[in-house]
Amino acid sequence: MSKELIERVSNYLNNNVQIELISQGAEAVVFITHSHPYLPNASDDKEQYIIKYRPAKKYRHPAIDKALTKHRTLSESRILAKLSQIDGINVPKLIACDVYNGCIWLEFLGVDLPNQCGFSNLKNFLWMSVADPYSQLVEDVLIKVGRQIGLLQWNDYCHGDLTTSNIVLVPENGTWSAFLIDFGLGSSSNLVEDKAVDLYVLERAIISTHSSFADKYNQWIMQGFSQIYELHGKSGLKKLKEITRRFEDVRLRGRKRSMIG
Amino acid sequence: MTETMIPQFPDYSIYAGLYVEVANSKELHSVVSNLPFAFIEADTICSREQLFSAVYKALIESSFNKQRTKTLNSECILSLSPTSNIGEAFKRFGISEKTSRIVVLSIVAKTEKAILEAKELIHGVGVDLTDEALESGYDLGLIKKVCSRCTQLFERLKKANLLLTTSRYIELQI
Ligand SMILES: Nc1ncnc2c1ncn2[C@@H]1O[C@H](COP(=O)(O)O)[C@@H](O)[C@H]1O
């Protein structure tokens, strides 16, 4: 990360908030901190929080940049706040938000996997499980992932960037719960197309990183996804059919494109 | 009253306290606008998170956008409210003549001298401002009334340990 950017973030957050960079994307930089943004006595070494910061882009006109930053920060925060209110959907809790500076604070989720397998996102978890790729545990986790996506879409939200790194597993009662993170490209949408594309993006992610087991894995995800729609009787089944049909179309389009490209 | 600060805003000291069995709220109510405090109806506050996220929001607004009330203390009361109507915020979250439990808040720039004599002003019993104390005293019916936009959501939010203020803040900006 550039020195100038580090300086800007430290200036904004102040030296009382010690931060550690964990990810730098095109849109945002993500840090871990032990400081709670405002709760007295909540800051200690055991607690961690995520700070997601959207730095100003020099190549944009300042006024446009400001408006865009505000819009995107607000949009992500709003989706997180709305999703947190829906029973059963697992997303990080939004702790604080400063739309003027493009900064949000989130609950930190996940753990380090055993044996240096890395952070507990779905990608690393599947890598870790490669010795026993079709275990009951893997099946359970993927069904749960599918249910999260089902809940999201049943409530007419789309993630926009469903990769295996944006699904985080959190230990709970001896097993794992699936959480969805990074709603930077999320939207409220009831379009079948958006939903099908979400599913397709995840399917491609599974195929590209875990190709030998991808068929079964994607099947488990869709099993969990369908379970949510099946809870809603006839109208649920109708919507499920629309989405899975479109999903096939999107897949076909993707295949054609890759044949040409 | 205990002193704390918001890590991002070290130039301000934040004093906060909880008083119960307050006997002179009628008198306090009549002078509150001239005092360097926010006197908040404690029945509307269910957690420290709710309270301090409003402080954070007030500091963000006054530092990076614009302060909409006369002082940072009153800005905190506005920040607690689901509407941007200042009078309504005071009516809902400020104290009334009948208030018996008061959350006292004071944000003081480090360059100013803190004159903090809430103890002498309030005829009541000072207790620690803990989540337990707030939890045991708040009035769910009242919160539902003052946060009308969040009514159905309140219990779920509370259960999920979610931030009322932050969620409202975002709703307001839509
Ligand atoms: N709430 C969170 N808990 C733990 N890690 C996170 C969280 N949010 C983001 N991250 C990490 O930061 C990376 C980039 O975040 P994002 O820009 O939101 O995709 C993610 O891939 C995660 O590794």
Side-chain angles (χ1 to χ4, degrees):
Chain A
M1 197 168 68
S2 79
K3 213 168 143 193
E4 193 206 335
L5 182 53
I6 295 178
E7 211 157 274
R8 196 145 24 107
V9 180
S10 320
N11 259 343
Y12 163 68
L13 286 172
N14 192 286
N15 284 335
N16 292 316
V17 183
Q18 292 292 317
I19 50 174
E20 187 193 325
L21 179 74
I22 59 162
S23 149
Q24 183 168 16
E27 175 75 22
V29 278
V30 177
F31 304 92
I32 289 183
T33 180
H34 293 296
S35 300
H36 189 284
Y38 47 78
L39 255 195
N41 312 323
S43 306
D44 72 55
D45 293 350
K46 272 178 258 129
E47 294 298 328
Q48 301 191 95
Y49 307 93
I50 288 282
I51 298 177
K52 187 165 176 176
Y53 179 75
R54 290 176 158 79
K57 293 241 193 308
K58 286 279 152 64
Y59 56 81
R60 284 198 292 243
H61 185 281
I64 292 174
D65 187 67
K66 251 188 141 158
L68 269 179
T69 299
K70 182 174 170 186
H71 176 79
R72 292 188 177 150
T73 309
L74 203 48
S75 151
E76 182 170 3
S77 308
R78 203 166 120 205
I79 289 187
L80 278 175
K82 297 258 178 210
L83 292 178
S84 305
Q85 293 169 18
I86 298 173
D87 263 337
I89 293 192
N90 297 332
V91 293
K93 169 175 155 177
L94 179 69
I95 300 173
C97 142
D98 170 4
V99 296
Y100 312 109
N101 293 286
C103 191
I104 58 179
W105 298 59
L106 303 168
E107 168 189 21
F108 180 90
L109 298 170
V111 293
D112 281 328
L113 292 168
N115 308 321
Q116 267 91 50
C117 288
F119 179 65
S120 62
N121 58 32
L122 181 62
K123 186 193 229 161
N124 293 336
F125 171 81
L126 291 177
W127 280 118
M128 181 181 80
S129 311
V130 70
D132 189 6
Y134 297 130
S135 69
Q136 188 64 48
L137 182 65
V138 172
E139 177 176 348
D140 285 347
V141 163
L142 287 168
I143 288 175
K144 280 184 195 161
V145 167
R147 275 194 216 132
Q148 282 302 310
I149 301 164
L151 275 170
L152 186 74
Q153 298 202 350
W154 171 255
N155 287 285
D156 286 337
Y157 286 94
C158 286
H159 183 280
D161 187 20
L162 264 185
T163 61
T164 45
S165 318
N166 283 336
I167 296 165
V168 173
L169 303 178
V170 176
E172 211 168 73
N173 308 323
T175 165
W176 297 96
S177 295
F179 280 69
L180 304 176
I181 64 164
D182 190 3
F183 285 86
L185 296 172
S187 60
S188 149
S189 169
N190 57 10
L191 296 180
V192 181
E193 175 73 14
D194 290 347
K195 295 178 185 184
V197 169
D198 244 6
L199 291 172
Y200 179 67
V201 168
L202 182 60
E203 182 178 85
R204 293 304 314 171
I206 299 266
I207 290 171
S208 69
T209 41
H210 314 281
S211 53
S212 320
F213 322 116
D215 282 352
K216 196 82 205 157
Y217 286 0
N218 283 319
Q219 201 182 315
W220 282 331
I221 290 174
M222 284 314 290
Q223 190 181 326
F225 182 87
S226 307
Q227 282 172 5
I228 300 299
Y229 280 79
E230 283 156 4
L231 289 174
H232 295 92
K234 252 195 187 144
S235 78
L237 288 175
K238 185 164 164 263
K239 285 186 174 170
L240 176 63
K241 209 172 201 172
E242 282 170 11
I243 296 170
T244 49
R245 260 204 208 126
R246 186 65 68 95
F247 184 12
E248 280 162 29
D249 290 348
V250 175
R251 209 187 268 137
L252 218 62
R253 271 187 260 150
R255 209 170 289 148
K256 271 188 202 141
R257 207 166 335 139
S258 68
M259 260 157 53
I260 298 163
Chain B
M1 303 262 278
T2 53
E3 181 184 349
T4 92
M5 74 158 189
I6 303 278
Q8 219 183 315
F9 299 100
D11 297 340
Y12 295 93
S13 293
I14 292 143
Y15 299 87
L18 175 62
Y19 288 84
V20 299
E21 294 170 38
V22 177
N24 63 331
S25 53
K26 191 165 179 187
E27 179 199 352
L28 293 173
H29 183 247
S30 66
V31 293
V32 65
S33 57
N34 300 313
L35 297 175
F37 301 107
F39 283 165
I40 298 165
E41 172 63 67
D43 290 4
T44 62
I45 305 296
C46 64
S47 67
R48 279 151 73 248
E49 204 169 48
Q50 182 192 3
L51 182 69
F52 285 102
S53 64
V55 175
Y56 176 82
K57 184 190 156 194
L59 284 167
I60 291 283
E61 288 296 326
S62 82
S63 309
F64 305 122
N65 190 29
K66 57 176 185 282
Q67 194 172 307
R68 293 153 299 168
T69 60
K70 269 195 248 155
T71 68
L72 270 173
N73 296 324
S74 46
E75 196 71 15
C76 289
I77 294 189
L78 180 59
S79 293
L80 283 166
S81 178
T83 79
S84 47
N85 183 313
I86 295 167
E88 212 159 291
F90 279 106
K91 218 164 79 198
R92 290 173 169 190
F93 291 90
I95 56 165
S96 73
E97 295 186 349
K98 293 192 205 109
T99 299
S100 68
R101 296 169 64 254
I102 301 180
V103 171
V104 184
L105 204 60
S106 187
I107 305 181
V108 184
K110 290 243 166 93
T111 51
E112 294 168 34
K113 224 170 146 179
I115 315 166
L116 289 163
E117 288 160 359
K119 211 164 42 187
E120 280 145 54
L121 288 165
I122 299 175
H123 300 163
V125 183
V127 294
D128 285 342
L129 183 73
T130 58
D131 281 330
E132 292 72 34
L134 292 169
E135 186 95 24
S136 68
Y138 79 91
D139 179 340
L140 182 59
L142 185 62
I143 292 192
K144 282 184 174 174
K145 212 164 84 190
V146 294
C147 305
S148 58
R149 285 175 61 168
C150 316
T151 302
Q152 311 91 323
L153 295 173
F154 178 76
E155 265 147 309
R156 208 179 304 154
L157 285 167
K158 185 84 183 39
K159 202 171 76 196
N161 192 21
L162 250 184
L163 281 168
L164 289 169
T165 311
T166 307
S167 302
R168 256 189 256 124
Y169 171 46
I170 287 152
E171 276 187 31
L172 272 181
Q173 303 235 1
I174 295 169

